[in-house]
């Protein structure tokens, strides 16, 4: 009846847990001086020096094979690291997409040349990538992308526009979903992924300011950009399948549970003080805990399935939808708790963190596929479509 | 072994605990025949050590069995019985015949020991009663009954002398924690049944020339039901995560709070998707949704357990909530 397999409680293997103490010691020191409202940015916080430091420690590209500069380690070891990064609010934004999404994609579909030139630098924290899927008229409906790469004698000629491209202004490469044949009427057919060196002539990148005043996502214009023949990632015409596989991987990780956790911990620190403690607040803390813990248990159970090469796509969508709803609930509920008191009693840094998280929270259910799109995917998994 | 066990219990309940049987017993019919079949199957001794002729299961293994009991709306306190028999056998005490209900937080006044709303009191022979931190086993027949809000339940009251003479149940610990654990698992089963029945209904019921499951709003409501059902199933596993017969109170807080919290959404959407038919006594949905609401408030509603979880979080010395979350959401290490 449904394709949802049951998830069984499990635990992170001991050899992966063994990493936690060392990472934590490093992060405790590295983030000590960063105020909470900045730490709250975490995966949109851009800090190349920090990325390089992680690279030097061997904490990036851990799961890539050693021949491509990776650590050849397990997905669970990476899980532990990422969980710690997010809970400390470490600024992982520079390498985030390259390490988590583009690297694995290239490993799966890239040519040997692409892997040899790109992966080692990702693992060193020196090469950043962005994802060019969305366009002004193609958001949820990616099959309608218009940006084209036409075959010519030197390779591919790229024309079109991408939007909402996270960190395009800081990145070295974009992996773009483009039309290589047919028209938008052909939908999924005729789409391919190409690796675009963003230093090529004909590319214009314009950051867009978000409502919190940050500029992390961009418009990217391609005007007769000449790509070489080996820019193609994977197979021509297989872009749709590749993109879907890519998205499935990124939906159930700790980043779908812990986006608001820096705020949560800060608020907990306050309600632990005699001035901050109130029964209503204790109850709210418990409510958030009792929603979060089962999601983490599910996320780890999914991770285990992924490690066994199963593809729990629907389960991952289930976790992402609930995780992001909880991540959005946290600032809303904490605001209600804090401002049922006198604002003068609330620490200013906590208010500042709250305000930042409140403002950016809408993006949690947009990035990586909107809430409605995920619910549609779950419905498909349930056999309703 | 676990799967064989749950397959067998699932089959037994599917055959013997049909909706018709559930209705009869809820209506006051004698439950003895159903209990006899279950007793004969040996499931009441699932948690009894192998050395005492039981199946030697621990809480972690029992979760799947309790879920099945919830799935089939069994009108008997089999889950509670398993647990109390496990505790008794573990201590080498003798095992009584018959079903055992649980009454945590009993009170003592006017020469009586009494408890309100004792779950399944009308179909139990024994009651594990907790008073002042101690649990004793009292005969249900020795109590006078007062009405309760659910048909299988009753308020019970014993003369103090009965309490004083009753044997202690060693190892019962905080009985409300244990009962909350059991009902988290029962809830997860009943939530799953509501989800599956509603999904099936949405695929069958046609309006405007197609199954209602083809409408996006229904799909999204079902997606949300499934999210609550699957999270609840994980939460129930968290509640039962113990390789002994003693539950962990913080894990139980997570499990009971999360499953209780799922109830209102799942029951609401299940009823709305079923339309008017789901509102009838004749249609089976009500057997499960009435239980959902009842079990939600059994052994403490979600807010009670939010308080417990919140206190634990505030008392935790780590500045990262992650550390308590890890402690409750990772399985116990095997030894
Ligand atoms: C912070 C941030 C970072 C991002 N980074 C990137 C990036 O790096 N690369 C990239 O390519 N994109 C990125 N995006 C874009 C993101 O993937 C899109 O915003 C998302 O896919 C939604 O597309 P849209 O904004 O065009 O909304 P639309 O698709 O126009 O949707 C608007 C609303 O309509 C709903 N809707 C649309 N179709 C349906 C349907 N069939 N059924 C029901 N409801 C529907 C949606 O759920 C939504 O509520 C980012 C977005 C944000 C906010």
């Amino acid at each position: 009846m449904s394709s949802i397999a049951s998830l069984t409680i499990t635990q992170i293997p001991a050899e992966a847990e063994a990493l936690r103490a060392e990472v934590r010691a490093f992060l405790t020191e590295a983030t000590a001086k960063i105020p909470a409202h900045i730490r709250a940015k975490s995966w949109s916080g851009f800090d190349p020096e920090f990325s390089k430091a992680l690279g030097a420690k061997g904490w990036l590209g851990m799961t890539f094979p050693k021949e491509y500069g990776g650590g050849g380690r397990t997905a669970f070891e990476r899980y532990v690291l990422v969980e710690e990064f997010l809970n400390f609010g470490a600024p992982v934004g520079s390498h985030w997409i390259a390490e988590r999404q583009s690297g694995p994609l290239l490993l799966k579909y890239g040519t040997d040349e692409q892997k040899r030139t790109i992966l080692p630098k990702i693992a060193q924290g020196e090469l950043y990538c962005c994802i060019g899927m969305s366009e002004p008229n193609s958001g949820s409906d990616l099959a309608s992308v218009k940006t084209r790469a036409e075959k010519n004698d030197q390779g591919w000629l790229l024309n079109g526009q991408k939007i909402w491209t996270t960190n395009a202004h800081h990145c070295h490469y974009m992996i773009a979903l483009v039309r290589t044949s047919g028209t938008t009427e052909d939908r999924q057919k005729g789409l391919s992924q190409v690796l675009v060196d963003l230093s090529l002539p004909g590319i214009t990148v314009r950051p867009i300011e978000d409502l919190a005043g940050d500029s992390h996502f961009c418009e990217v214009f391609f005007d007769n950009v000449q790509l070489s023949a080996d820019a193609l990632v994977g197979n021509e015409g297989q872009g749709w399948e590749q993109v879907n596989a890519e998205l499935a991987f990124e939906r159930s990780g700790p980043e779908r549970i812990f986006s608001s956790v820096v705020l949560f911990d800060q608020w907990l620190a306050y309600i632990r003080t005699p001035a901050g403690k109130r029964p209503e607040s204790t109850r709210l803390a418990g409510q958030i805990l009792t929603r979060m813990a089962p999601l983490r248990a599910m996320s780890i159970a999914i991770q285990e399935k992924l490690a066994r090469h199963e593809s729990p796509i629907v389960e991952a969508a289930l976790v992402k939808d609930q995780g992001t709803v909880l991540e959005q609930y946290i600032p809303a509920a904490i605001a209600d708790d804090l401002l049922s008191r006198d604002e003068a009693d609330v620490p200013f840094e906590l208010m500042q963190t709250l305000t930042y998280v409140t403002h950016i929270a809408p993006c949690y259910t947009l990035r990586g596929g909107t809430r409605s799109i995920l619910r549609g995917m779950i419905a498909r998994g349930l056999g309703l479509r | 072994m676990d799967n064989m066990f749950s397959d067998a219990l699932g089959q037994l309940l599917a055959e013997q605990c049909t909706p018709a049987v559930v209705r009869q017993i809820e209506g006051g019919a004698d439950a003895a025949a159903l209990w006899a079949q279950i007793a004969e199957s040996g499931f009441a001794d699932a948690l009894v050590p192998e050395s005492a002729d039981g199946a030697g299961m621990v809480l972690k293994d029992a979760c799947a069995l309790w879920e099945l009991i919830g799935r089939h709306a069994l009108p008997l306190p089999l889950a509670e019985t398993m647990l109390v028999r496990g505790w008794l056998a573990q201590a080498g005490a003798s095992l009584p015949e018959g079903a055992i209900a649980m009454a945590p937080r009993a009170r003592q006044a006017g020469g009586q020991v009494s408890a309100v709303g004792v779950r399944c009191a009308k179909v139990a022979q024994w009651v594990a009663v907790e008073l002042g931190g101690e649990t004793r086993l009292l005969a249900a027949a020795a109590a006078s009954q007062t009405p309760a809000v659910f048909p299988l339940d009753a308020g019970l009251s014993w003369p103090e002398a009965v309490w004083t003479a009753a044997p202690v149940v060693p190892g019962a610990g905080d009985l409300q924690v244990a009962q909350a654990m059991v009902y988290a698992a029962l809830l997860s089963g009943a939530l799953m049944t509501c989800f599956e029945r509603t999904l099936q209904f949405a695929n069958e019921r046609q309006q405007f020339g197609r199954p209602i499951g083809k409408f996006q709003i229904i799909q999204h409501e079902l997606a949300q039901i499934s999210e609550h059902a699957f999270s609840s199933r994980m939460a129930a596993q968290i509640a039962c995560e113990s390789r002994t017969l003693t539950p962990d109170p913080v894990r139980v807080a997570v499990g009971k709070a999360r499953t209780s919290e799922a109830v209102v959404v799942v029951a609401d959407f299940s009823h709305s998707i079923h339309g008017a038919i789901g509102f009838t006594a004749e249609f089976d949905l009500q057997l499960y949704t009435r239980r959902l609401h009842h079990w939600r408030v059994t052994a403490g509603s979600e807010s009670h357990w939010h308080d417990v979880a919140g206190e634990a979080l505030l008392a935790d010395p780590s500045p990262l909530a992650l550390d308590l979350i890890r402690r409750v959401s990772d399985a116990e290490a095997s030894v």
Side-chain angles (χ1 to χ4, degrees), chain A residues 174-187:
Chain A
M174 172 192 282
I175 295 180
L177 180 67
V178 298
R179 191 158 285 290
T180 43
S181 67
T183 66
T184 49
E185 251 85 274
D186 295 307
R187 308 287 297 158

Side-chain angles (χ1 to χ4, degrees), chain A residues 97 131-134 139-140 163-166 216-217 363 366-368 370 372-373, chain B residues 216 220:
Chain A
I97 288 172
I131 298 165
M133 292 188 193
S134 304
S140 302
I163 197 166
W164 316 131
T165 322
T166 297
H216 48 84
F217 53 21
C363 84
L366 297 174
R367 58 191 190 191
T370 68
S372 331
I373 294 299
Chain B
Q216 195 179 45
H220 286 200

Side-chain angles (χ1 to χ4, degrees), chain A residues 6-11 20 24 265 272 282-283 286-287 291 293 296 318 321-322 375 384-385, chain B residues 214 219-220 224 227 230-231 233 237 258 261 306-307 310 313-314 321 323 325-326 329-331 333:
Chain A
S6 64
L7 298 172
T8 305
I9 189 169
T10 178
Q11 87 242 66
R20 200 180 290 274
R24 191 170 280 200
D265 279 331
R272 278 185 183 118
T282 306
R283 178 169 293 181
Q287 184 195 47
R291 289 184 189 177
R296 180 181 185 268
L318 253 150
D321 190 33
Q322 293 181 87
R375 289 185 181 165
L384 289 165
R385 333 178 122 192
Chain B
K214 295 285 171 212
Q219 294 179 351
H220 286 200
Q224 288 170 79
E227 290 175 2
F230 281 90
S231 289
R233 166 179 261 184
Q237 292 180 41
R258 185 63 190 88
E261 199 173 53
H306 290 155
D307 289 346
L313 189 49
L314 293 195
D323 287 328
I325 292 169
R326 285 171 48 223
S329 61
D330 272 333

